[in-house]
Amino acid sequence: MIINNVDFDSVLERVIASATLENNTAQEDVRRVIEYIGRDMFSDIAFLREKQQSGEYEENDARILMDEQKLIARLRLRNLPSIDISQANRLWTLVADEFSFAISRAIGWQVL
């Protein structure tokens, strides 16, 4: 999963490694949900890149789309039965921080 020489597989693996270290009780559940979120995020960024190149979307349009995706990602993390809401929020922050930098490098927009 590469966009403009940004390897999102590597980003996702770093996030998963950090997240599973932080949460020893539900490593497999956390890994699965974060992997799902990461793959969805990559699809969203590939879509945004197409829209960016065609001129259909501007940075603000992309932010709106990603705001909706952030909500969905947070809900997925909060629905893990083995973690509490503060752990879910920390996990989301970890995901968002790593992906925000990668997305910015890949498409040049700050959307997370």
Side-chain angles (χ1 to χ4, degrees):
M1 300 185 322
I2 297 175
I3 297 175
N4 284 346
N5 297 321
V6 177
D7 185 352
F8 282 88
D9 283 327
S10 294
V11 174
L12 182 55
E13 285 305 315
R14 281 195 312 271
V15 171
I16 288 171
S18 296
T20 54
L21 282 175
E22 187 169 313
N23 191 319
N24 292 329
T25 59
Q27 285 184 346
E28 191 54 40
D29 290 341
V30 168
R31 178 181 184 79
R32 189 174 50 251
V33 169
I34 289 179
E35 187 170 336
Y36 188 70
I37 290 168
R39 301 236 179 260
D40 280 354
M41 208 170 291
F42 175 79
S43 294
D44 294 337
I45 297 311
F47 170 79
L48 290 174
R49 183 168 183 243
E50 288 176 20
K51 296 299 182 182
Q52 178 189 45
Q53 290 176 335
S54 71
E56 292 177 67
Y57 274 31
E58 294 180 2
E59 189 169 355
N60 195 48
D61 301 313
R63 245 187 240 116
I64 292 167
L65 173 76
M66 293 308 290
D67 280 346
E68 292 172 1
Q69 300 306 333
K70 287 190 298 191
L71 177 62
I72 293 167
R74 284 185 178 128
L75 288 172
R76 286 185 182 137
L77 289 166
R78 289 178 181 164
N79 282 323
L80 286 170
S82 53
I83 65 171
D84 62 35
I85 196 162
S86 65
Q87 289 172 311
N89 287 336
R90 280 195 310 273
L91 289 170
W92 169 249
T93 299
L94 190 134
V95 170
D97 287 349
E98 285 288 332
F99 272 92
S100 180
F101 181 70
I103 291 166
S104 176
R105 285 190 358 228
I107 65 173
W109 288 345
Q110 292 291 325
V111 295
L112 281 184

